[in-house]
Amino acid sequence: MGDSGTAIDGAVRDWGTLRERYCARMQRGAALAKDKVVAPDDVVALLEAVIEPGDRLCIEGNNQKHADFLAECLAEVSPERVHDLHIIQSNIALAPHLDVFERGIAERLDFCYSGPQGLRLSRLVKEGRLKVGAIHTYLELYGRYFCDLTPNVSFIAADAADHEGNLYTGPNTEDTPAIVEATAFKSGILIAQVNRIVDRVPRVDVPGDWVSFVVEAPRPYYIEPIFTRDPAAITEVQILMAMMVIRGIYEKYGVARLNHGIGFDTAAIELILPTYAADLGLRGKICKYMSVNPCPTLIPAIESGFVEGIHCAGSELGMENYVSERSDVFFTGRDGSMRSNRIFCQIAGHYSDLFIGSTLQIDLEGNSSTATLSRITGFGGAPNFGSESRARRHGSESWLMAGREAHRGNGMPRGRKLVVQIVESFREGLSSTFVERLDAWKLQESFGLPLPPVMVYGDDLTHIVTEEGIANLLLCDGPEEREQAIRGVAGYTEVGMARDPEMVRRLRAKGAVSYPEDLGVDKRLATRDLLAARSIKDLVRWSGGLYDPPARFRNW
Amino acid sequence: MKIARHSFLEAGARTRVRGLLDAGTFREFCGPLARRTSPHLPLLDMPVAFDDGVVVGEGLLAGRPVLIAAQEGSFMGGSVGEVHGAKLTGLIERALDVRPDGVILLIDSGGVRLQEANAGLIAMGEIQRAVLAVRAAGIPVIVAIGGRNGCYGGMSIIARSCDWIVISEEGRLSISGPEVIEAVEGVEEFDSRDRALVWRTMGGKHRRLLGEADALVADGMDAFRDAIAGYLGRSRAHDLDSLETEQARLEARVTRFAECRDGVDVWAALGVDAPERVPELEPDAFNRLLGTLEETSR
């Protein structure tokens, strides 16, 4: 077998075009490199040499770590030489990510999350300078890297490289393995920006053989402490909701394997584990294994023996020493530093007993979305964690109990993952979290999307927790009961006021609606005195000085 | 691992007063029912508070009679308007009549309420005059600083006119706030978003090391109460000699620390070992460190 064969029409087909193009690109790029190392000043020229018009290109960048120097260089290339790029990256967080559309270098975008660039992104869409393929979840985008959206060229960021191109990614691995494998094993060009070039890397995370070029960036890659929640900002309402979750869900179902979203609501749960949950005798019974980033608010729960294992999608600034000194809990390399990996973390989260997170809008079917009218921000990982995996078939007690509630003896016995939304009935600006119709419908119309951008679909959702109580959708029969259960916990919103009190009473009798008194939750205990840590400084104390918070979180 | 269950930092004015005084002994003057509210704020279409942001009254602390005032930091940043100032002045002057073992001011304020500018400024002068009159009568005025707003502007001048200052490491004491310095002098001079820098230059530990505060305590009702109780009945000299000594100390300080850009530089110049570790020290360890330093500061 060679690189050529005979196609059905008799013409000779070349089966190695990608490889040939790779060799040609490498030859053009090699003129600018010494071995694999390219000087920072030559990077723009390198990109013009190796990128071809119409390429699919991925710039590593997620919530925290960004190949920001390479992103800036791409925004400087000549649009005459590099154009019509199809950008396929998870996060649109930095200005240069959109400068390439503004300058006519790129035209098409598939992404997951846009955060601070959300407003500008929607403007570029309206101006016709950017065509959105789809807003993906991380796993969906990674999946397409290995299907129809394989990158021709990828930029990644790493802590260190040696002269052979072996890379040490440091604690923030996140997207790296997905990007690297899809690119390197389908004749793509892989360019790494590193903080330093060394003789010997502490650990080889990416073999040098897979890497095309390396550049020592003029400054370390940008990193954002996005998972730090200051306990000082946690409210008594959030503490009340956390108490309800612990009694009404974690204790009831014996939830041992779970994933927490990263808001203040879940931080409140983490911070009352060592106090409230410990008093209930739940240590060793709930919250033993988590798939979540190393959020500093987890420190008291880890130190007091609640959480036994955590796999992380990424890292968090300031947590390096703590993670390294808790290798029984976190996944760390022989060198002591954490090895994160978003694919594996999300797969672990996908198959856990429970996901709990927050959202901006929920409709009467339980569909939820964080996409509101003025922004296209995407959803990050929540839809992956918050989808019920019907493929899973193992018998944790939590999974089986939820399955019994969902099926109630009808048909084949089957488990069920718990998917929980924890929200206050009103959010900022006194807008209602509960709506008859999601903004997502209007967004679909105005941006020409194939689907309304729903984060977690109602049929995946099992519970809604508000300051008023818990709606257990597993125990609802039919859409009418489901709607009334949702209204039954929607507080004084218009949706809540329109409840049918008689039906809500019936739902309460069968446990589909529960209020604090039904759950054995004493509302008077819902004060900040219940928090195991009430400030960032307290988290440092719990960590024995191992947690080193960024300056912006300090008040000492 | 021990976390204060009753935080002073997080408490409101009334909770602080209740947390410090002996149970059931507090009697409030001009209480909520009196509805003494600002005459100026309604003219600006702004909401008023039933106590204008300050609680004043009397009670027992460790069994000893005291007058006490607590600013409510959550109402307009504990700012001082006309009514707020009059309540403070009236409380302090009452000490001349009833001769308590101490007047306690729980300060949590950015200073003058800008919406009541001149009335607030006049109030500051009146409060300060009352403090000095009470001190002259031999009654100690004790300040506690441990709220979110710290102690800034005119309230910082008043605080430093009193006998004693008890502060937590979360507390801050300075005339100009971080944002004001940054706005006037530029971000190169002072980056107000660098919170660690703010605390290294205005925070409780720095003020204690410089001799601007007399006791550094952990954030908690018990710690504040114990420290305040230790100053009851103890006046500090306030005469020409003491003022001249203070003036000489401040002049020497200006010279000595003129080149320092950061609290850490000051601590190094003071002879603190491992000055960069000062922010991490718990109050006990910090107070031990103070004991080892020569009495250079006060």
Side-chain angles (χ1 to χ4, degrees):
Chain A
M1 295 292 284
D3 277 347
S4 52
T6 307
I8 39 175
D9 59 2
V12 175
R13 167 151 184 200
D14 184 351
W15 293 101
T17 52
L18 281 180
R19 191 186 304 162
E20 284 160 23
R21 277 170 71 190
Y22 178 76
C23 291
R25 291 166 192 255
M26 282 303 287
Q27 213 163 21
R28 298 197 300 266
L32 292 154
K34 186 169 178 294
D35 298 327
K36 288 185 173 173
V37 179
V38 180
D41 288 344
D42 292 332
V43 170
V44 173
L46 174 80
L47 301 186
E48 289 176 347
V50 301
I51 302 172
E52 295 176 2
D55 273 352
R56 283 185 300 269
L57 184 138
C58 167
I59 305 173
E60 177 169 21
N62 45 56
N63 298 312
Q64 300 170 296
K65 180 174 79 165
H66 285 276
D68 53 349
F69 173 67
L70 293 172
E72 287 162 22
C73 290
L74 181 68
E76 285 174 33
V77 300
S78 157
E80 259 107 74
R81 302 189 58 158
V82 179
H83 48 85
D84 294 318
L85 296 184
H86 182 177
I87 305 292
I88 46 168
Q89 68 195 40
S90 64
N91 200 326
I92 304 297
L94 307 177
H97 293 158
L98 290 180
D99 291 347
V100 294
F101 292 94
E102 205 99 50
R103 293 195 61 225
I105 297 165
E107 64 153 6
R108 215 176 150 71
L109 175 67
D110 279 85
F111 75 113
C112 303
Y113 179 72
S114 70
Q117 299 293 326
L119 283 173
R120 187 175 166 209
L121 176 56
S122 67
R123 176 174 63 77
L124 285 166
V125 170
K126 278 181 204 141
E127 290 171 4
R129 285 202 259 192
L130 187 158
K131 294 190 191 79
V132 174
I135 306 174
H136 302 74
T137 70
Y138 294 121
L139 288 181
E140 286 161 5
L141 186 68
Y142 299 157
R144 290 189 68 185
Y145 287 166
F146 295 95
C147 183
D148 59 333
L149 290 184
T150 308
N152 302 108
V153 179
S154 291
F155 305 158
I156 61 170
D159 275 20
D162 64 18
H163 292 274
E164 289 168 11
N166 293 306
L167 302 182
Y168 169 61
T169 56
N172 283 71
T173 312
E174 309 207 9
D175 297 29
T176 320
I179 298 170
V180 164
E181 299 228 357
T183 308
F185 291 91
K186 204 145 186 250
S187 301
I189 298 277
L190 191 65
I191 306 176
Q193 88 169 60
V194 298
N195 295 347
R196 57 190 196 281
I197 294 180
V198 296
D199 287 334
R200 193 181 158 82
V201 288
R203 180 177 82 200
V204 176
D205 289 317
V206 180
D209 177 47
W210 303 359
V211 179
S212 310
F213 297 102
V214 171
V215 56
E216 192 176 69
R219 56 174 194 289
Y221 59 72
Y222 173 76
I223 184 158
E224 168 84 15
I226 198 170
F227 299 109
T228 299
R229 299 282 171 261
D230 188 342
I234 291 173
T235 66
E236 294 184 342
V237 168
Q238 287 164 332
I239 293 166
L240 174 64
M241 294 196 295
M243 293 164 74
M244 287 195 267
V245 168
I246 286 176
R247 290 231 74 166
I249 300 177
Y250 292 4
E251 181 182 16
K252 174 184 169 185
Y253 295 94
V255 174
R257 286 154 288 254
L258 74 167
N259 168 256
H260 270 189
I262 54 150
F264 283 98
D265 299 316
T266 43
I269 298 172
E270 290 156 13
L271 287 171
I272 69 169
L273 288 174
T275 55
Y276 186 66
D279 287 349
L280 292 170
L282 297 175
R283 183 186 287 114
K285 295 181 179 150
I286 63 168
C287 300
K288 292 167 72 176
Y289 304 97
M290 299 183 78
S291 40
V292 62
N293 273 41
C295 302
T297 44
L298 284 163
I299 293 171
I302 296 168
E303 293 298 307
S304 57
F306 264 89
V307 183
E308 292 176 19
I310 299 178
H311 188 270
C312 302
S315 185
E316 184 62 4
L317 267 185
M319 286 290 281
E320 298 83 0
N321 290 337
Y322 181 76
V323 168
S324 177
E325 294 295 320
R326 296 292 179 273
S327 55
D328 282 359
V329 174
F330 292 96
F331 290 75
T332 57
R334 308 272 182 267
D335 68 317
S337 68
M338 187 172 76
R339 166 74 173 185
S340 60
N341 182 323
R342 190 140 65 191
I343 310 174
F344 290 151
C345 181
Q346 297 220 341
I347 287 176
H350 208 78
Y351 286 81
S352 63
D353 296 330
L354 169 144
F355 163 79
I356 180 165
S358 202
T359 188
L360 295 183
Q361 283 188 340
I362 300 180
D363 70 13
L364 297 176
E365 294 174 13
N367 300 305
S368 61
S369 184
T370 54
T372 51
L373 285 177
S374 56
R375 283 168 186 270
I376 310 181
T377 54
F379 311 121
N384 295 337
F385 288 125
S387 64
E388 201 256 316
S389 165
R390 288 168 212 278
R392 177 177 160 167
R393 33 180 95 203
H394 83 231
S396 84
E397 193 42 49
S398 160
W399 192 271
L400 294 173
M401 185 189 294
R404 285 194 295 273
E405 286 190 348
H407 303 295
R408 276 163 272 164
N410 299 318
M412 178 66 75
R414 186 167 185 184
R416 176 80 196 231
K417 179 183 174 182
L418 297 166
V419 178
V420 183
Q421 294 279 16
I422 178 168
V423 292
E424 288 179 43
S425 55
F426 287 98
R427 49 192 170 87
E428 278 172 37
L430 284 187
S431 47
S432 172
T433 302
F434 294 93
V435 293
E436 305 262 342
R437 193 176 160 85
L438 297 175
D439 279 3
W441 289 98
K442 283 187 203 148
L443 270 183
Q444 180 197 14
E445 216 172 287
S446 52
F447 294 109
L449 302 172
L451 292 168
V454 167
M455 182 167 74
V456 175
Y457 288 105
D459 56 4
D460 283 332
L461 192 66
T462 63
H463 295 76
I464 298 172
V465 182
T466 71
E467 74 281 3
E468 191 177 15
I470 298 180
N472 181 347
L473 305 181
L474 292 169
L475 294 175
C476 295
D477 292 300
E480 201 190 345
E481 284 198 5
R482 170 177 279 256
E483 177 185 325
Q484 286 302 325
I486 293 172
R487 291 188 192 276
V489 296
Y492 289 94
T493 61
E494 281 182 31
V495 166
M497 305 279 269
R499 72 185 62 166
D500 171 351
E502 184 45 42
M503 187 146 172
V504 171
R505 208 169 298 129
R506 260 190 293 122
L507 289 168
R508 192 175 170 194
K510 73 172 185 173
V513 170
S514 309
Y515 297 133
E517 51 273 34
D518 308 328
L519 303 167
V521 168
D522 181 351
K523 285 196 222 178
R524 291 168 305 177
L525 290 179
T527 73
R528 286 179 47 81
D529 288 347
L530 212 54
L531 295 176
R534 49 167 96 241
S535 66
I536 294 278
K537 182 72 181 267
D538 285 346
L539 296 175
V540 175
R541 292 187 176 113
W542 269 102
S543 77
L546 291 169
Y547 172 45
D548 179 24
R552 78 167 87 155
F553 294 107
R554 289 172 184 258
N555 64 342
W556 65 89
Chain B
M1 182 55 225
K2 189 170 174 291
I3 300 294
R5 282 279 144 257
H6 300 289
S7 166
F8 186 89
L9 176 71
E10 292 186 0
R14 285 182 173 71
T15 311
R16 284 179 188 156
V17 170
R18 274 203 307 276
L20 294 181
L21 296 190
D22 301 349
T25 65
F26 180 60
R27 184 163 76 92
E28 184 169 352
F29 307 142
C30 313
L33 290 177
R35 290 285 190 278
R36 309 263 181 201
T37 60
S38 164
H40 306 285
L41 296 176
L43 302 175
L44 299 166
D45 273 342
M46 298 188 75
V48 296
F50 57 82
D51 56 10
D52 205 40
V54 66
V55 178
V56 296
E58 62 188 3
L60 299 177
L61 191 152
R64 305 176 70 170
V66 297
L67 296 176
I68 189 166
Q71 291 179 309
E72 180 53 65
S74 61
F75 179 66
M76 301 189 77
S79 59
V80 180
E82 184 173 353
V83 171
H84 186 120
K87 288 174 76 174
L88 282 170
T89 306
L91 177 86
I92 298 165
E93 287 180 344
R94 179 177 168 82
L96 297 172
D97 299 334
V98 301
R99 301 275 161 170
D101 285 351
V103 178
I104 301 164
L105 307 179
L106 311 181
I107 298 181
D108 190 354
S109 173
V112 169
R113 186 178 298 159
L114 296 178
Q115 293 82 353
E116 301 187 33
N118 288 353
L121 286 169
I122 292 167
M124 288 297 180
E126 290 173 339
I127 298 165
Q128 193 180 27
R129 189 160 50 196
V131 165
L132 297 180
V134 167
R135 289 189 64 182
I139 300 160
V141 185
I142 306 157
V143 165
I145 303 170
R148 289 197 197 289
N149 295 290
C151 175
Y152 283 101
M155 283 313 294
S156 71
I157 298 172
I158 286 163
R160 290 292 283 118
S161 304
C162 298
D163 292 82
W164 309 103
I165 295 180
V166 177
I167 195 167
S168 64
E169 74 171 328
E170 291 84 0
R172 289 171 294 164
L173 170 63
S174 182
I175 294 202
S176 299
E179 290 81 9
V180 174
I181 300 175
E182 183 181 314
V184 175
E185 301 287 338
V187 71
E188 302 78 15
E189 173 70 19
F190 200 83
D191 181 357
S192 67
R193 285 182 306 172
D194 185 343
R195 291 179 21 110
L197 172 69
V198 170
W199 261 268
R200 287 199 303 272
T201 49
M202 300 173 175
K205 283 176 175 163
H206 183 65
R207 291 312 182 193
R208 178 72 188 103
L209 278 163
L210 276 179
E212 304 271 339
D214 304 284
L216 183 107
V217 298
D219 170 42
M221 294 297 177
D222 295 349
F224 269 98
R225 182 177 55 236
D226 292 348
I228 292 168
Y231 293 116
L232 291 178
R234 287 172 58 194
S235 277
R236 167 174 242 154
H238 189 250
D239 51 19
L240 187 58
D241 279 354
S242 66
L243 288 176
E244 284 181 344
T245 308
E246 178 70 358
Q247 175 69 13
R249 184 183 79 92
L250 292 174
E251 282 173 5
R253 193 171 90 185
V254 168
T255 318
R256 188 175 178 193
F257 302 123
E259 300 303 313
C260 295
R261 301 287 304 157
D262 193 306
V264 177
D265 304 336
V266 176
W267 307 335
L270 284 170
V272 174
D273 284 336
E276 71 285 349
R277 284 197 53 242
V278 166
E280 311 304 330
L281 294 177
E282 294 297 339
D284 287 351
F286 176 81
N287 288 325
R288 281 196 299 276
L289 165 76
L290 272 174
T292 66
L293 291 177
E294 50 178 358
E295 268 297 326
T296 45
S297 36
R298 188 87 207 171

